């Protein structure tokens, strides 16, 4: 038998001896045996477990005290360990047995939860003591009133049951007006000042002079519910007058920021947002960008500032502005001008230009006055010719030998716009290039408007076709048939498709159906959608050069199929073919039936096929 005694008086008792002791207890000898074998009385907390019959409630037979049995009774500790919360859930403590710190059998007055408070590592609890907390006596925090659980709160001297919420120990100074997360604004060193609070993230960021104002000036300290209270929420900051006195006594509205900023209230920064229409003088156009003191006298008296123009009529322009026309057009400036710009005129509906020497007609009626009256209408305008106001668009193209260009009215109805021309077809027929054929119906811009530059031109266009039209045959057709790119050798002005070329000049005259075929059918080939190539000199004269040889090599002689042996240019019908020259002359009824009756037969893969060379001519081969 081995008996092991530790420094904490725990015994290892063999299982057979425990069973013997239990038997003795049943025989009435338990008290004497217990007095001899128990290491000592249990602590007060475990006194109800006294007696050998209760040993197995904490001890395993033949083993040390079981931590599992400890936690089975101490469910509050088991819950924290399972949740990995608190001191007992830390890695340093969790791997130890319970009896390593909490021994028993030392008497009723023995304190089982003993530790050195001065050297205790509070960080193992999951709540590191920082700042002022590091200087606080343990019992200042670990008091029953700070424990939420009623059962734990009833235990004398317990350190359990605390949470890390600030308000579990501290009174809510803000009285539920700022939530429960104190550490969003405060740190552990001291409750004041709230060093973590950033006013820039609040609904009212501090700028300018507000940055230097003491907090209590806006957040006064009062008494609420019998406790000191400082208000931080529910403050009205939508308008300046909620905090500041209005020195204008309501005369200029309460939109202070339209004239002032937060740097200093005594500095005027302009009234761009001030609703001037409330004064009876609505600001429009340039007036909205004019400095206030250009119209108002400066005053440092808040009750009289901007009050010097209260009777000004907004239509009496001459009261403030100099009359540039020296009274020649009266003083009703608004009939012609507006506030956008003194030179930006209205539609001039109130001004009768017919009273001048130049009545406005057509397009001139919509022209801005300043385009003609560049120096504010004081200098007379020479309107005897268009070129005195308008530049010569044609840049001298129509100038005479002396360099003088005709006036625009020669070809244009100038009051209707320069896009419309008075130059007629009859005028064009008298030019160096009379129009003929399709040219008569061609719009002017097709020849005279350069698409690349967008400019019209009328001189030195050239008289040859290729001067305007691209040479579509370049590189394909020999110059023998159109020397010097003379398109008129084949084409006329009526239409490009009307070709008068004599095909006999090529040595291959057109006969039969060939004379009815368009040139493009033989000489143009589409190589891709929208892209064509041409064939002239490289075309062969045999039929297979253009037509598909449907017979293959069936009628070839020395590898060449001569279609003309059977066919002519009039049609595909084999009008030259003589069946009597074959191995089967047609006689009797055979001369009357259609060719296909004999030369069409079923195809091996289905359908039918045409066979011209028949190898067997016995009647039974065709007739059943």
């Amino acid at each position: 038998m081995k008996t092991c005694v530790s420094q904490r008086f725990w015994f290892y008792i063999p299982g057979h001896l425990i069973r013997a002791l239990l038997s003795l207890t049943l025989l009435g000898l338990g008290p004497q045996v217990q007095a001899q074998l128990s290491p000592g009385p249990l602590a007060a907390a475990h006194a109800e477990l006294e007696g050998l019959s209760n040993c197995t409630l904490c001890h395993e037979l033949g083993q040390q005290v079981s931590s599992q049995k400890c936690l089975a009774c101490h469910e509050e500790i088991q819950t924290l360990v399972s949740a990995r919360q608190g001191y007992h859930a830390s890695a340093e403590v969790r791997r130890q047995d319970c009896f390593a710190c909490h021994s028993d059998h030392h008497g009723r007055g023995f304190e089982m939860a003993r530790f050195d408070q001065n050297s205790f590592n509070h960080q193992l609890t999951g709540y590191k003591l920082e700042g002022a907390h590091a200087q606080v006596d343990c019992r200042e925090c670990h008091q029953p009133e700070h424990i939420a659980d009623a059962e734990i709160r009833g235990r004398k001297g317990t350190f359990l049951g605390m949470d890390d919420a600030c308000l579990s120990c501290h009174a809510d100074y803000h009285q539920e007006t700022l939530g429960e997360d104190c550490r969003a604004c405060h740190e552990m060193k001291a409750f004041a000042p709230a060093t973590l609070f950033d006013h820039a993230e609040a609904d009212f960021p501090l700028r300018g002079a507000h940055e230097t104002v003491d907090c209590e000036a806006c957040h006064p300290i009062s008494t609420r519910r019998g406790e000191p209270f400082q208000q931080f929420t529910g403050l009205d900051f939508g308008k300046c007058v909620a905090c500041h006195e209005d020195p204008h006594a309501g005369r200029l509205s309460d939109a202070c920021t339209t004239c002032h900023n937060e740097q200093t209230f005594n500095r005027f920064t302009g009234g761009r947002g001030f609703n001037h229409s409330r004064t009876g003088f609505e600001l429009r156009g340039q007036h909205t960008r004019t400095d206030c003191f250009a119209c108002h006298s400066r005053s440092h008296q808040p009750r009289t500032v901007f009050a010097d123009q209260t009777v000004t009529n907004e239509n009496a322009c001459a009261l403030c502005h100099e009359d540039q026309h020296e009274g020649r057009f009266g003083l009703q400036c608004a009939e012609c001008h507006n506030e956008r710009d003194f030179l930006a005129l209205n539609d001039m509906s109130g001004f009768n230009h017919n009273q001048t020497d130049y009545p406005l007609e057509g397009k001139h009626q919509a022209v801005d006055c300043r385009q003609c009256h560049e120096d504010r209408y004081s200098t007379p305008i020479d309107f005897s010719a268009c070129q005195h106001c308008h530049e010569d668009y044609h840049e001298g193209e129509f100038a005479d030998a002396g360099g003088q260009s005709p006036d625009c009215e020669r070809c244009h109805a100038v009051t209707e716009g320069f896009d419309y021309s008075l130059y007629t077809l009859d005028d064009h027929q008298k030019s160096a290039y009379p129009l003929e054929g399709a040219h008569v119906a061609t719009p002017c811009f097709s020849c005279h408007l350069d698409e690349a530059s967008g400019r019209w031109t009328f001189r030195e266009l050239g008289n040859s076709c290729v001067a305007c039209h691209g040479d579509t045959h370049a590189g394909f057709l020999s110059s023998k048939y159109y020397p010097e790119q003379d398109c008129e050798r084949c084409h006329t002005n009526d239409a490009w498709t009307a070709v008068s070329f004599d095909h006999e000049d090529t040595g291959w005259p057109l006969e039969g159906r060939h004379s009815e075929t368009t040139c493009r059918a033989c000489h143009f080939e589409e190589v891709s959608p929208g892209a064509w190539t041409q064939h002239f000199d490289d075309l062969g004269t045999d039929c297979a050069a253009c037509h598909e040889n449907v017979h293959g090599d069936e009628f070839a002689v020395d590898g060449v199929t001569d279609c003309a042996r059977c066919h002519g240019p009039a049609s595909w019908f084999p009008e030259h073919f003589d069946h009597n020259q074959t191995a089967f002359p047609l006689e009797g009824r055979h001369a009357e039936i259609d060719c296909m009756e004999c030369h069409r037969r079923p195809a091996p893969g289905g359908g039918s096929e045409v066979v011209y060379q028949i190898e067997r001519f016995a009647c039974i081969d065709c007739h059943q």
Side-chain angles (χ1 to χ4, degrees):
M1 179 184 71
K2 293 182 179 180
T3 301
C4 180
V5 182
S6 71
Q7 294 179 352
R8 298 183 181 272
F9 305 102
W10 292 100
F11 287 83
Y12 174 76
I13 304 175
H16 68 277
L17 180 56
I18 293 293
R19 288 190 291 272
L21 292 173
L22 292 175
S23 300
L24 291 175
T25 300
L26 297 175
L27 294 175
L29 300 177
Q32 294 84 348
V33 174
Q34 177 177 339
Q36 296 297 321
L37 295 179
S38 174
L42 294 174
H46 290 163
E48 63 182 10
L49 303 178
E50 196 75 67
L52 290 177
S53 61
N54 293 327
C55 293
T56 55
L57 295 178
C58 297
H59 298 273
E60 295 284 352
L61 292 178
Q63 298 181 15
Q64 297 174 338
V65 175
S66 169
S67 294
Q68 285 74 23
K69 289 197 173 187
C70 294
L71 295 176
C73 281
H74 296 278
E75 296 179 353
E76 73 283 1
I77 302 298
Q78 178 64 66
T79 300
L80 291 173
V81 172
S82 300
R84 295 188 177 274
Q85 297 177 356
Y87 173 76
H88 294 92
S90 64
E92 292 84 345
V93 179
R94 190 173 63 251
R95 60 171 171 256
Q96 299 185 44
D97 291 321
C98 299
F99 67 78
C101 297
H102 306 287
S103 62
D104 205 341
H105 290 288
H106 304 301
R108 292 287 188 267
F110 182 72
E111 185 179 359
M112 295 184 64
R114 294 184 302 154
F115 60 93
D116 186 354
Q117 297 184 18
N118 295 325
S119 62
F120 178 69
N121 184 2
H122 205 282
Q123 189 168 348
L124 295 178
T125 68
Y127 187 83
K128 182 180 180 181
L129 298 182
E130 303 176 76
H133 284 160
Q135 310 301 323
V136 176
D137 183 82
C138 302
R139 286 301 173 182
E140 288 190 42
C141 295
H142 293 279
Q143 298 182 22
E145 58 265 28
H146 297 160
I147 301 176
D149 189 285
E151 179 182 350
I152 298 177
R153 186 168 59 246
R155 297 181 182 182
K156 182 179 178 181
T158 183
F159 287 88
L160 299 175
M162 297 285 292
D163 60 32
D164 58 2
C166 301
L167 297 181
S168 65
C169 292
H170 300 279
D172 183 4
Y173 175 81
H174 303 295
Q175 299 189 28
E176 300 181 353
T177 60
L178 291 179
E180 298 181 355
D181 186 12
C182 305
R183 282 181 281 188
C185 300
H186 302 277
E187 60 180 11
M188 300 294 188
K189 292 181 180 179
F191 193 77
T195 55
L196 301 181
F197 175 70
D198 185 0
H199 215 292
E201 297 180 0
D203 292 337
F204 188 82
L206 299 182
R207 291 185 288 265
H210 284 150
E211 294 178 343
T212 59
V213 174
D214 187 76
C215 301
E216 292 185 17
C218 299
H219 303 283
I221 298 177
S222 61
T223 300
R224 180 177 178 181
R225 299 173 185 172
E227 298 290 339
F229 175 73
Q230 189 170 12
Q231 185 176 4
F232 291 97
T233 60
L235 297 174
D236 183 9
F237 51 83
K239 298 179 180 180
C240 302
V241 293
C243 295
H244 301 278
E245 180 185 357
D246 180 10
H248 304 296
R251 290 179 50 255
L252 300 179
S253 79
D254 53 8
C256 308
T257 55
T258 60
C259 299
H260 304 276
N261 58 44
E262 294 171 281
Q263 301 302 321
T264 172
F265 195 78
N266 295 325
R267 180 178 301 168
F268 177 76
T269 56
R272 296 291 181 262
F274 177 68
N275 185 6
H276 210 280
S277 59
R278 295 179 57 188
T279 67
F281 192 105
E282 183 178 357
L283 299 183
R284 294 182 290 265
Q286 288 292 336
H287 282 159
T288 63
R289 293 182 285 276
T290 302
D291 184 75
C292 301
F293 295 109
C295 300
H296 296 281
S297 300
R298 292 184 178 273
S299 172
H300 296 288
Q301 299 300 321
R303 293 184 181 274
T304 61
V305 67
F306 304 125
D308 55 327
Q309 299 285 1
T310 55
V311 296
T312 301
N313 186 340
E314 64 180 17
N315 293 318
C317 306
L319 292 178
C320 295
H321 301 278
E322 180 185 355
D323 180 12
Q324 298 291 328
H325 306 298
E326 300 176 350
R328 290 186 296 116
F329 298 124
L331 297 178
Q332 300 301 316
C333 307
E335 291 185 356
C336 299
H337 303 279
N338 56 59
E339 294 96 331
R340 292 195 306 275
D341 188 341
F342 196 76
L343 296 180
L345 303 179
N346 297 328
D347 59 4
M348 300 304 292
S349 59
F351 181 74
N352 186 6
H353 210 282
N354 292 333
Q355 295 178 356
T356 69
D357 295 333
Y358 190 79
L360 299 182
E361 300 175 355
K363 293 285 187 179
H364 284 158
Q365 293 177 340
V367 175
D368 189 283
C369 304
R370 291 175 300 173
Q371 289 190 242
C372 299
H373 301 279
E374 296 179 353
D375 56 353
R376 300 196 177 188
Y377 325 110
S378 58
T379 302
I381 296 176
D382 183 2
F383 48 80
S384 61
C386 301
Q387 56 190 302
H388 293 156
C389 290
H390 301 278
E391 294 182 2
D392 181 9
Y393 175 87
H394 303 294
E395 299 179 349
E397 280 189 342
F398 299 110
D400 55 22
Q404 183 64 36
S405 296
D407 192 49
C408 307
E409 291 183 330
R410 174 83 173 272
C411 298
H412 299 280
V414 292
T415 58
E416 300 302 324
F418 286 104
D419 292 337
Y420 179 74
S421 175
L422 300 177
Y423 192 80
T424 65
L425 178 61
D426 289 338
D427 294 324
H428 208 293
Q429 302 305 82
K430 299 174 184 177
S431 70
Y433 192 82
L435 301 179
E436 301 175 356
H439 285 158
V440 175
T442 301
C444 305
F445 64 80
S446 296
C447 299
H448 295 288
L449 179 61
D450 183 4
E451 293 184 358
S453 64
R455 182 168 182 79
W456 291 79
T457 184
F458 299 89
R459 299 292 191 187
E460 299 179 0
L461 295 179
N463 295 332
S464 65
C465 300
V466 293
C468 292
H469 304 279
D471 184 1
T472 186
H473 299 306
F476 298 104
L477 182 61
S478 171
S479 60
K480 167 185 176 182
Y481 299 106
Y482 73 130
E484 299 181 356
Q485 295 180 297
D486 183 9
C487 304
E488 293 181 334
R489 292 292 296 270
C490 300
H491 300 279
T492 67
N493 286 331
D494 294 333
W496 282 115
T497 55
V499 180
S500 60
F501 179 70
D502 187 357
H503 214 280
E504 291 189 2
D505 293 344
T506 65
W508 204 80
L510 300 180
E511 302 175 353
R513 293 294 296 276
H514 286 155
S515 63
E516 303 171 5
T517 303
T518 63
C519 304
R520 294 184 65 88
C522 297
H523 295 288
F524 283 74
E525 176 188 3
E526 187 174 19
V527 294
S528 63
W532 297 79
T533 187
Q534 302 176 38
H535 301 282
F536 290 97
D537 295 336
D538 56 344
L539 282 179
T541 58
D542 59 308
C543 302
C546 293
H547 301 282
E548 180 185 2
N549 181 8
V550 298
H551 302 300
D553 294 332
E554 192 173 1
F555 297 109
V557 176
D558 297 330
V560 177
T561 300
D562 183 10
C563 304
R565 288 167 50 197
C566 300
H567 302 280
S571 69
W572 282 114
F573 186 78
E575 58 187 27
H576 301 319
F577 178 70
D578 184 2
H579 211 288
N580 293 329
Q581 301 298 321
T582 68
F584 191 83
L586 298 180
E587 299 175 354
R589 285 283 295 159
H590 285 158
E592 300 175 2
I593 64 176
D594 185 86
C595 304
M596 292 299 103
E597 291 290 332
C598 297
H599 292 282
R600 185 184 301 276
R601 68 184 182 186
S608 61
E609 61 180 356
V610 177
V611 178
Y612 291 98
Q613 294 192 11
I614 300 176
E615 297 178 357
R616 298 167 55 88
F617 305 112
C619 298
I620 193 63
D621 292 329
C622 293
H623 302 281
Q624 296 297 326

